[in-house]
Every structure is written in C-alpha cells, then in structure tokens.
Amino acid sequence: MSHVAEDTLPERPAVLAKVKPLTTLPRRPLVLHNRDFHWITNKICGIVEDPAPTWWWVCFVVSLGIASFLGVGLLWLVSTGVGVWGLRTPEFWGWDIVNFVWWIGIGHAGTLISAVLCLLRQKWRTAINRASEAMTIFAVMCAGVFPLFHVGRVWFAWWLFPIPNSQSTWPNFRSPLEWDVFAVSTYFTVSVLFWYMGMVPDLGTLRDRAVKTWRKYFYGVLAMGWRGSTRHWRNYEMAYLILAGLSTPLVLSVHTIVSFDFAASLLPGWHTTIFPPYFVAGAIFSGFGMVLTLVLPLRAMYKLHDLITQYHIDCMCKIILATGSMVGYAYAMEFFIAWYSGNIYEGFTFINRAFGQYAWAYWIMISCNVISPQFFWFRKVRENTALVFIIVLFVNVGMWFERFVIIVTSLANDFLPSSWGYFSPSIVDIFTFFGTMGFFSTLFLLFIRFLPMLPIGEIKHVTPPADPHYHPEAQTGGHS
Amino acid sequence: MSDIFGIMAEYKTPHDIYEACGEFRDAGYSCSSKWDTYTPFPVHGLDKQMGIGRSHVPWIVLAGGITGFTTGALLTWYMNGFDYPLVVGGKPYWSMIYPFPVMYELTILFSAFGAFFGQFLTNFLPQHYHSAFNNEGFKRHSDDAYFILIEATHPLYDEAKTRALLEKTGAYNITLVNK
C-alpha cells in the first residue's frame, strides 16, 4: 500500500462517499430476528404457562430419584457417625470438602454474570442471568450440606453461629472456618435477595397474564403489587445497581475465604499465597462450565435460539478460555514456587501430585482444565453446540478433580511418612455426592417450571426499540 | 366525581411516552407526584423527563453498611475479647485484623438488606391494591404498553384540559379510572 502513486490518493474520498463505510461497527444483536416485546413476553411466559412437556416430567422423576440418594447418604451418616465417610488418618477432609468447594465454585458464575457483568455493562448477560442466579442459589444449597454434616453432630451445627449456648462459649473468630460460615451464609442470603428482586417485575408480568386463580394468588403475592411505575423503576434500578456493586466484592471474598481454609493451614501444597486469586478464577471457570451445561439443553428444548444466541455462547466460551488459562497459569506457578522456594516439603508435594499415587487424578485435572478449554480459540468449535457441551462437561469434571488433587494429595502424604495413606471414598460418600446432583436438578427443574427462566423486562430493555431515542426508520439494519 | 382516581392513557412506543412526559413537565405537572407513567421496563431518562429527583435508596444502603460493620466489630469484640477472652499465641484478645472477614461480610450483608428493603420501602411495596389495575387494559403495562396516569388529586388535574393535553401528545385509549 505504501507504493500507491501519489496521484491516486485524491480519488479515495470519492470512493469512500460511494461505499459509505460504517462509522461504527455494528454490534451483534442480543435478540435475533427483530422480535418485538410481545413476542419476548409470550415466549418466556409460555415456558411457565404451557403444560409441562414430557421430557420435563421424565427429568423431574429421575432427578427426584437421584436426590433420594442424598437422603439415604445423610441418614446413614447421621445414624452411624462421620466414620462412614471414607475419612481416616491422615485424611480427615475427603470428598465432602471436595464437593463443598466444587459446588460453591459453581455458584460463582451466577453472581459474576448478574453482578460483575452488570457493572461492566455487558448487555449479553441479560439472557442468561436469571438461570445462572438460580444455579448459584441451588449450588450453594448443595455446597452447604457437606460442611453442615461434616461437623458430625449436625444437631449442634448452630454452634457455628454466634448464638448463646448452654456452655457460655462463643465461636472463635480467628478460624478461617468461622469466616467461611459468615461468607457462605452472607453469599447465600445476598444471592437470594438479588435473584428475587430481579424477578419481581417479571413475576408481575406472569401475574397480569394469569388466568387460573391459584396462579393469580401465587404470582400476585410474589410480585408484591409491582406495577412498572417509573417512580418505582427509579428506586429499583438504583437498588439493583447497588446490589450488583455489593455482590462483586462479595463473590470475590467468598472463594477467597474458602481458599483461606487451606491457605491459613501449614500443610505443603495448601499454605500458599496464590490460593485466593487461583480459587476465584477456578470458581468462575467451573461456574461458566455449569451455566453452559444447563443453558444449552434448555435452549434446545424450549427453542430459545433467538434469545440465547450464538453471541452469548461465544462470550461464555471466551470467559471459559480466559479463566481456564488463568487456572493453567496458576498450576504452573505453583510448581515454579515449589521449586523456587527451596522448601523440600513443598517440592515433594508437587512432584508427588504429578507423579505419585494420585498422578491419575492430576492428569485428569490438567487435561480437562488446561487443555480442553483451549479448543475455544477456534470459532468453529464455539459454533458447534454439541462440541461446546462436551467441553464444558470436561470442565465440570476437571474442576472437581482440581479440588480432589489439592485436598487429597496434600493430606495423604503429609510430614510424617508413618501415617501416609491412600484415600478411597466409601459408598456413603458416593451416594451423598450423587444425591446432591439430583437435589440440584430437582430444584432447577422446579425453577424453570414455576418462575420466569429468562428476565423478561431486562431482555426487552437491551433491544434497540427500548431506547426512547430510537427511530425505526433511522435503523441501519445490517443484521437480520 | 369522587369515584374517579384519575385519567389514564396509552402511548405506542417508549419514544412517544418520553416526549409526552417532557410536555407534561413543561406544562407544570411535575409540581406534584400525583402523576405517573408505567412501562414494561425502565425507559432510560424517563424519570428525569418527568422531573423526578434521585432515588433515596443509597442512604438506606449506607445506613445498612455502617450498621453491618459496627455489628461485626462489636460482635467479635464482645465474644472473643470481652465475654470469653481466649489467649491464642499471646496475641491481643481482639484487634481489627483477625475478625475483619466477619466485619466485611456483615457490612455487605446489611448493605444488601438496605438495598433490598430500601427499594420496597421507598416504593411503598408490597401494595396489592392499586386503582390503576381497575383499567382492564392496564394489564398490558408489563407486556408492551406504556401508560400515563394523572390522578384526580393532582393540582393541575382538570378532566377536559388534561384530556386535551393527552390528545395533543399523541395518547390514545384515554379513559377515566375508578378508585
């Protein structure tokens, strides 16, 4: 181009006037096919109002069946003792803590989508934020089961809270486990408030469309008499923004504090400063994996392709790629520091992780978490829904193994070789973990059946006609 | 006359109601809060166009945050430093450092309560009866319709004049709403 003759240059403006290049690049639309507001209302409310499809009943019954394993597992545990979990010297944190961290990490994507992306004005969050927030709440409920029952005498679990008891003692606030009590319970409460407040206008929509009496009462009570007043929207939007602003430091603190459970101990492999950011990145990584695992089938079953578009999937895949790479970097950095610190125990732990008795778990973790998301560099992969679904399943598995590797390898081969052991889960461990998946699915299926799965008002709000300065005739179009 | 709550009308697009609110504001209607608009989603700038001020929710959040932080500090001090002091590694019974996560989380928790309950409080919700719903067509406010309502108690309310202004701004389905 630098060799273009001088005399050809003056012609360029004329060419530009002819081809009319866009001054701003068009953004990818968030709702395809220029769907109008009424279509959006009908589509989303239809999911709740139409009779439950057969697949829903099949999934619901299967989920309930799986959830019953949780009941059996917990009943077995409570009636016998914590010993029925595969916990024995030197492993006193096993699958229960692995599952706790895994579930709570999954929850983080919901808050990230609803809060952090709200502050960053990422409009694509609107189509998926409601379902992700629901996922957060149910995942935290599943997570809560494990530490609650790990305390052994679950009927004394209330001692964790600062409530006066007959021994006149109080919780020790120096313990990261006590911080966890506050972090997780705050996280759960704030997530529920945020989720519910976001849903109030949409519950109003369902109330206004309700025909059956029970629906009028059910949605009427939940909608709190919402009437879409501008005077209300003003306070509502302010409160929503503030809740997003509060949830952002909250979500970062929750997994940071979860990582303190490990980092504040003295065990090689746990006692590291990299844990807080590493755990938060991993949590977002696994959470987005779970969001896609849930959203892709729902999109296909309810034909939501105009609302949850390829653009949304692209964005989520890119976040998985970014956080997956961060996690990969953290794995590498842990190894480097183990060598660079010159601490022989630290060095042994990491060599042992990769090549010791749990090498199989370590390499599952590396393949699922570091290698599998790298496929998302390619547009062809991101646009192949089946492939995306398979990769995110790997992400879910990989992140479970990450927690397994961290917890089990460090404990199994600690400072005292005479107490080394090999951890194997018991049938009760497996039942309980399997059961939480059913519990989660049951709650999620009930959610999509009775509550608006996508935010109706927010999706309308991000379409171009919602802008008071929008002129249909001035619309340049360019995208179908 | 006493049965009439106000006069209600519909606009076709967010643009129309936005422009109309400007006209009502210029006609002096923003002197009272006895008029309102109802939209399926927040129309940006409509509150300013109506001459409504800033929300008071942030003050409630601030109060919640201060309460939360103080609660966290007092709670940990009372329990670990005063009522049942524990010597751990010869360190002070209580400091601002070790229980900070507790104070941090309680600050967020109480601020979130402030935002959540503050929103319902400032909006006077829940309110399950409102005269606007006496207009059967009003149900579409949560779908794709944009309503304006001028209450009969508004100082500038005059059935004929208000109706004329509504017509001038392009409103349709102008109806009187019963209490």
Side-chain angles (χ1 to χ4, degrees), chain A residues 311-332:
Chain A
Y311 174 52
H312 293 93
I313 297 174
D314 265 5
C315 289
M316 285 190 271
C317 288
K318 286 172 188 170
I319 290 188
I320 289 178
L321 174 61
T323 48
S325 306
M326 285 180 209
V327 168
Y329 170 79
Y331 295 158

Side-chain angles (χ1 to χ4, degrees), chain A residues 82-89 91-95 422-429:
Chain A
V82 194
V84 296
W85 276 345
L87 304 172
R88 63 189 75 83
T89 317
E91 300 270 358
F92 288 105
W93 280 10
W95 269 36
Y422 187 85
F423 171 82
S424 309
S426 71
I427 189 76
V428 188
D429 275 313

